[in-house]
Amino acid sequence: MANKDTESIPMDSTTGVETLGPWFNGVAALQNKQPGPVDVEEAKSNHIAIVGAGMSGLMSYLVLTQAGMKNVTILEASQRLGGRVHTEYLSGGPFDYSYQEMGPMRFPVTYQDPETQEKINITDHQLVFQLADELNKLNGYDKNLTVEFIKWVQSNPKGLVYENGFKLPTGLPPTVEQIRADPSLSTPAKAQEESVKALSEELEAAMPDESFYTLIAKNMFKAHKEWTENGLKGLGGDTWSEFAYLMYHLNATLKDVDALGALNSHGSIWAELYEGLYFSAVDWVTIDGGLNRLPLAFAPHVAKDTYMGRKIERIQYTNDSKVQLVWRDVSSRPVKSVGLDTSRDLKNATFDYAIVSAPFSVVRSWRLPSLPTPITNAINGLPYQGACKVALEYSERFWEKAPYGM
């Protein structure tokens, strides 16, 4: 975030950047479109604020400092690193393996092409593995800071399936492999009316074939561009939600839409396709000792420039084209920056640039300067879904014993 009058390079089609497709192809185009001669050392001495110490904030800090920026400050509202990457340790430490991930839990690694049976790396998540390698090198492979991956069991043939109170004569629900061998052990599918069947077939005909999932796995950005331009038989795939497509293009009845389970499907169909690939992965990994170890690995590098308890309430531009951040201070540690004001409960600091990595659900409560309409609408309107997790800690690992045997 910088003053709107500051000279910059537009990140749009005028500079060769495809914001809705393989945007990274624009990097080469930008190399020959610099705004003008720049004093590199002067540029690297700019004061940059990063608001939020979640993964995007931490990654921004790493990229900027490795590029040679000398004055980078992270302001974090809470008292920890990681944002929504948060591991709650129940008993013992990371390697006692009694913990619950309060945010993300695992990473899909490979997708298997159903036609060729080839296993394909899901490239969208390779950045996480590359980041772990880089942090391990930076930390000298210190065992207290290493980020290592272990297998995540997404499903197990001996997993129990308990539906509608049904149990076997043994008193246990059937397992996944028992249901595969005898489908009658599962809850029978409810018979669909003919109109619902016809609607389901029309929707299926508009969806991409299996090869599209392979494209998502190989290059999510190119797949998104393809779907945006040609999806839903040329209608433009990212324009419609499943509900809107069924109701307003296929002219379905509300009853039939509800029967297909699409009554509340108001998000992008693209998001459903992407999620479909994600949960079709055949191999998964997680971080040994909990995902919390990933932001923890940043700690030695960001500690000197990170200030906790800075809950931002306002962002404004100054008369000299700088960015002023205003927060309510719950910490006594001063901020190393330009223009510090400590005379009131609300404190502020001025920077040349600010990167806001906090989620829009937080940012929309701040007082903000005038911003372009698209970013303003995104901040105010981007939907966020809540989630509730319940952790159960057992005294023994009973599921590994007979008759379970998982």
Side-chain angles (χ1 to χ4, degrees):
M1 194 171 189
N3 190 302
K4 60 185 177 181
D5 295 328
T6 301
E7 185 179 15
S8 61
I9 304 173
M11 299 298 286
D12 54 32
S13 59
T14 63
T15 53
V17 178
E18 297 185 63
T19 56
L20 297 179
W23 56 268
F24 45 82
N25 289 348
V27 173
L30 291 177
Q31 288 178 343
N32 297 321
K33 297 183 180 180
Q34 297 298 327
V38 175
D39 185 319
V40 174
E41 286 305 310
E42 181 179 349
K44 289 182 177 180
S45 67
N46 282 323
H47 288 75
I48 301 175
I50 299 173
V51 181
M55 290 310 304
S56 59
L58 295 173
M59 191 67 181
S60 296
Y61 180 94
L62 181 64
V63 170
L64 289 173
T65 54
Q66 287 191 333
M69 305 304 293
K70 301 171 183 176
N71 299 296
V72 183
T73 299
I74 299 176
L75 304 178
E76 166 59 35
S78 74
Q79 297 296 328
R80 64 175 184 84
L81 303 177
R84 74 182 191 94
V85 176
H86 182 198
T87 308
E88 187 70 28
Y89 296 99
L90 304 177
S91 295
F95 302 108
D96 292 302
Y97 299 105
S98 184
Y99 53 78
Q100 171 68 45
E101 299 292 358
M102 305 307 292
M105 301 180 292
R106 71 291 206 208
F107 307 97
V109 180
T110 59
Y111 169 74
Q112 190 164 32
D113 188 307
E115 294 183 0
T116 65
Q117 301 303 308
E118 175 190 5
K119 279 190 175 184
I120 302 163
N121 282 334
I122 298 176
T123 56
D124 192 34
H125 286 74
Q126 294 301 307
L127 179 64
V128 178
F129 310 135
Q130 295 164 359
L131 173 61
D133 288 341
E134 178 68 10
L135 289 170
N136 288 339
K137 292 176 184 177
L138 292 174
N139 290 327
Y141 300 95
D142 183 337
K143 65 179 182 179
N144 294 316
L145 296 170
T146 52
V147 179
E148 296 181 345
F149 295 90
I150 56 175
K151 181 179 179 180
W152 168 278
V153 180
Q154 180 71 2
S155 62
N156 187 297
K158 295 186 180 296
L160 301 176
V161 181
Y162 186 54
E163 293 181 303
N164 297 329
F166 177 74
K167 294 182 181 180
L168 299 173
T170 61
L172 293 174
T175 64
V176 172
E177 62 184 359
Q178 286 174 324
I179 292 175
R180 286 174 182 166
D182 183 3
S184 68
L185 297 177
S186 66
T187 302
K190 185 178 180 181
Q192 290 183 331
E193 296 180 4
E194 289 302 317
S195 60
V196 177
K197 287 183 181 179
L199 182 61
S200 178
E201 290 172 359
E202 280 192 272
L203 177 62
E204 186 65 27
M207 294 296 105
D209 59 23
E210 294 292 343
S211 65
F212 188 71
Y213 288 95
T214 299
L215 178 59
I216 298 177
K218 290 182 175 180
N219 192 320
M220 184 267 289
F221 298 98
K222 287 184 177 180
H224 181 254
K225 181 183 179 183
E226 169 64 24
W227 179 252
T228 299
E229 294 178 348
N230 302 311
L232 294 177
K233 296 183 176 181
L235 288 177
D238 218 13
T239 306
W240 299 83
S241 67
E242 186 175 329
F243 174 84
Y245 182 72
L246 293 172
M247 284 291 296
Y248 305 121
H249 185 71
L250 298 183
N251 298 313
T253 66
L254 198 61
K255 177 183 175 182
D256 287 349
V257 172
D258 188 22
L260 285 183
L263 200 59
N264 295 312
S265 298
H266 299 298
S268 165
I269 294 179
W270 162 259
E272 296 180 16
L273 293 172
Y274 178 77
E275 191 171 89
L277 168 78
Y278 188 103
F279 286 105
S280 297
V282 293
D283 295 305
W284 299 73
V285 296
T286 188
I287 294 177
D288 195 8
L291 264 68
N292 194 55
R293 292 184 62 81
L294 186 59
L296 177 65
F298 281 91
H301 312 286
V302 306
K304 65 182 177 64
D305 294 319
T306 300
Y307 301 87
M308 302 295 188
R310 279 16 181 205
K311 190 174 182 180
I312 300 297
E313 295 191 4
R314 182 174 183 176
I315 300 179
Q316 56 193 2
Y317 296 126
T318 65
N319 292 331
D320 56 350
S321 300
K322 296 185 182 297
V323 181
Q324 186 178 72
L325 305 180
V326 181
W327 69 89
R328 195 167 298 278
D329 192 13
V330 295
S331 172
S332 60
R333 187 180 177 191
V335 174
K336 180 189 68 176
S337 64
V338 179
L340 180 64
D341 179 0
T342 60
S343 61
R344 298 168 296 180
D345 290 337
L346 281 177
K347 299 183 179 181
N348 66 73
T350 304
F351 300 86
D352 295 300
Y353 299 93
I355 298 173
V356 178
S357 70
F360 285 170
S361 55
V362 172
V363 175
R364 64 181 56 142
S365 69
W366 301 349
R367 294 177 63 186
L368 299 171
S370 176
L371 297 171
T373 299
I375 188 65
T376 299
N377 289 341
I379 291 171
N380 293 330
L382 188 69
Y384 284 78
Q385 292 182 332
C388 177
K389 291 192 175 184
V390 177
L392 300 177
E393 184 179 26
Y394 295 94
S395 59
E396 59 179 315
R397 300 171 69 88
F398 65 86
W399 54 86
E400 296 178 343
K401 303 174 184 179
Y404 309 94
M406 283 189 281

